[in-house]
Structures are given as structure tokens and as C-alpha cells.
Amino acid sequence: MVQPLFLKPVFQERIWGGKGLKEKFAYKIPHSKTGECWAISAHLNGPSTVENGPFSGKTLNEVWRNHPEIFGYYGGDTFPLLTKILDANQDLSVQVHPDDIYANLYENGELGKTECWYVIDCKEGAEMIYGHNAKTKEELIKMIKNKDWDKLLRRVRVKPGDFFYVPSGTIHALCEGTIVLETQQSSDTTYRVYDYDRRDENGKKRELHLKKAIDVTKVPHIDVDNKFIVTKYKDLIVTTFVENEFFVVHKWKIDGVASLTMDKPFMLCSVIKGNGTLRGEEGKYSFNKGSHFILPAKTRNFEISGNCEMIISHL
């Protein structure tokens, strides 16, 4: 089986969500506060569904569990990656994620959550919270207790095309007016540090997780030195954003025809701009902005033609 797996996303309502996923990607969102598109997901809290081929109608976790050959017999009980598109119509809560060891101990064997963001679009002057200014754990605890958020939290400006690597233990938050593609470990564990004293539709403040958040926050914060690698081919520009033990993430910019060879167990592909055609050994498949698919292990040689940009991730 060398057909790509095209996937139907799952949409998640969030207090900070909006209509951006409909406006930017023409998705049929279920709610006016849709915050997350779980585009390529085998997580039990929102598994995406295969839309084509012999596995049509099956969830990705079913295919992962029952057909390991499609994924190069990579192994493991859990599909390791999760691709999302987030619409931050309002500020997200200030939060932090655990690593694998902490999550395994305190979150029923869940994976940790290291992630990264590619900024698809944002309003002029948009910001994100990335890191903190505490020098010691004691200072971190004191500043949180005193709600000294302006002094504690570090804010950075963002623009379309920016990329941010967010390792576990990093305090962070997307801010209003930002749409990003997120590549992460397949985890749904988040510890809220601060939520602007917002209240939900029932008038209740959302739960904070201060003890766990303090436990896992890295002190002091150390910025990641982003050194991107750009490789130019005839009709293809590949930008490699990050390579580590959790994932490798690239952007492919194609204008014309790109002939490619896959030597990974599988690849996750998300189209963030334009449209085109994927040609493989078993036929051709059209895609457009907002399409998401997995290239299985036996894809080998394939060709992409069109004018498009895609975010690609693999192990």
C-alpha cells in the first residue's frame, strides 16, 4: 500500500478561538470559537479519519495499531506526532508542558509535550509569550504568587513566516491575532500558569496547575538558537527548521515540479499555501491549501507539481 493517507481534521472549541480557520482555510468549523484544527492526529482526544483508499473511514490510531507496515514498522503503542493549526482569536493561557519522564509519572503514561510553531498569519504587531525572567525557582514562585506577570513574562513580536521551537519546560502562550501550524509530540497535557482571570460561559475561572507548572518549568529560561538550513533545488526550496529526538520539521516551497525520494518511516504533510498534485507509483492526487496527508513507508519516489508551501514533519 503506497497510497498517501489524506486525513479529515478534528476541530476543537476553545475559549480563545474564533472563525479564522474558516476564513483562512475554508474549513467547515463547528463553532464560532473554534480554536484548534487537529489535522494529523491519532490522539484519543481527537483522532483524525482517513478519507481515501482502503482505510477510508478508519481513524489514524486504528491504522497505526493494525497496519504497522504503513509506517515502516516504526513501533510503539502511540503514534508519536500531532499536527495542529491554531487560531488565537484571543490570548491563550500562559502555560508550560512536561517532558516525557514527568508526564509518564503524573499523567497516566502520557507523552511529554515538546512542540514548535510556524506562524502562518498574524495581525500587525502580534506577540507571543516565550520564556520568563526568573533567575531561580524561588524567584519564579514569588513572582507567580505575587501575580507579577509583566515582570515575569517575556514577550516577543511575531510575523508571518516566523518559526519558534518550544521545548518542554518553556513558559509560553500565543497571543491574539495569530494563526500557527503546530508540530508536537502526541500529547494533550498542558499546565496553566495564568489565564488573565477569564471566566468561561458558566462564569467560572479555568483551572490553573501551579504546582505542576512550577515543577516542570526550566529555570532560568534559555532561548533556543534557531539556525535554519535552506537548500535550493530546481523548483523546490527546503527550509529545515529543527532536527532533534522528537521530530524534524521542514518547509517545502514548490514552484513547478519537484521530484523527491522518501527515506523515512513516514512523513506528515500539511499544505499551508497554494495547491498542486502529488504523483506516486499508484496514481495522482490533488491537494489544496488546508489539505493534510501522510506519505507511507513504501512511497519511495514521488513528484509534487504546483505552486504551494507545505510544512513537513517526520521522525
Side-chain angles (χ1 to χ4, degrees), residues 112-133:
K113 192 175 178 186
T114 285
E115 61 191 18
C116 58
W117 295 333
Y118 178 84
V119 180
I120 296 172
D121 197 12
C122 64
K123 70 178 186 179
E124 187 174 352
E127 295 180 322
M128 65 175 281
I129 291 167
Y130 186 82
H132 62 85
N133 294 311

Side-chain angles (χ1 to χ4, degrees), residues 172-189:
H172 64 279
L174 288 177
C175 296
E176 177 187 348
T178 309
I179 294 178
V180 305
L181 184 139
E182 177 177 289
T183 303
Q184 60 161 93
Q185 292 180 271
S186 184
S187 173
D188 199 23
T189 299

Side-chain angles (χ1 to χ4, degrees), residues 27-48:
Y27 290 136
K28 295 180 179 179
I29 60 173
H31 196 278
S32 61
K33 285 188 174 291
T34 299
E36 301 191 6
C37 164
W38 289 29
I40 305 177
S41 168
H43 196 282
L44 294 179
N45 290 351
S48 40

Side-chain angles (χ1 to χ4, degrees), residues 11-169:
F11 297 97
Q12 307 277 8
E13 180 184 348
R14 296 290 184 259
I15 194 171
W16 42 261
K19 299 179 182 178
L21 295 173
K22 177 181 179 181
E23 294 165 355
K24 296 294 182 182
F25 291 94
Y27 290 136
K28 295 180 179 179
I29 60 173
H31 196 278
S32 61
K33 285 188 174 291
T34 299
E36 301 191 6
C37 164
W38 289 29
I40 305 177
S41 168
H43 196 282
L44 294 179
N45 290 351
S48 40
T49 304
V50 179
E51 292 189 297
N52 67 302
F55 303 116
S56 180
K58 301 288 187 183
T59 61
L60 180 55
N61 44 328
E62 287 180 287
V63 181
W64 171 262
R65 186 171 60 247
N66 297 322
H67 295 277
E69 71 280 1
I70 292 172
F71 307 96
Y73 295 97
Y74 177 78
D77 295 331
T78 303
F79 187 81
L81 299 177
L82 174 54
T83 300
K84 299 178 183 176
I85 301 178
L86 309 182
D87 171 24
N89 187 53
Q90 298 178 22
D91 293 348
L92 275 67
S93 62
V94 179
Q95 57 194 248
V96 65
H97 305 307
D99 61 15
D100 287 343
I101 295 172
Y102 193 94
N104 185 61
L105 283 173
Y106 296 103
E107 303 298 337
N108 298 315
E110 178 89 308
L111 290 176
K113 192 175 178 186
T114 285
E115 61 191 18
C116 58
W117 295 333
Y118 178 84
V119 180
I120 296 172
D121 197 12
C122 64
K123 70 178 186 179
E124 187 174 352
E127 295 180 322
M128 65 175 281
I129 291 167
Y130 186 82
H132 62 85
N133 294 311
K135 301 296 188 294
T136 65
K137 281 278 187 180
E138 291 73 22
E139 188 177 7
L140 175 71
I141 293 167
K142 181 179 179 180
M143 293 168 88
I144 290 175
K145 182 179 179 180
N146 293 337
K147 299 185 177 182
D148 199 353
W149 306 118
D150 289 340
K151 187 185 241 183
L152 174 64
L153 302 174
R154 300 174 72 236
R155 291 179 175 268
V156 297
R157 287 285 185 94
V158 302
K159 63 184 184 303
D162 281 350
F163 179 88
F164 294 90
Y165 177 56
V166 188
S168 61

Side-chain angles (χ1 to χ4, degrees), residues 198-241:
R198 274 187 296 213
R199 297 181 183 273
D200 63 20
E201 64 274 13
N202 298 315
K204 294 182 178 180
K205 293 181 181 180
R206 294 199 295 172
E207 181 184 4
L208 302 180
H209 315 94
L210 295 182
K211 182 185 182 305
K212 288 181 176 180
I214 291 166
D215 281 349
V216 305
T217 297
K218 293 178 181 176
V219 183
H221 169 78
I222 299 174
D223 277 330
V224 176
D225 186 11
N226 287 322
K227 293 182 179 179
F228 307 148
I229 300 170
V230 180
T231 307
K232 297 182 179 180
Y233 303 94
K234 180 175 176 289
D235 294 332
L236 169 67
I237 300 174
V238 177
T239 303
T240 301
F241 293 120

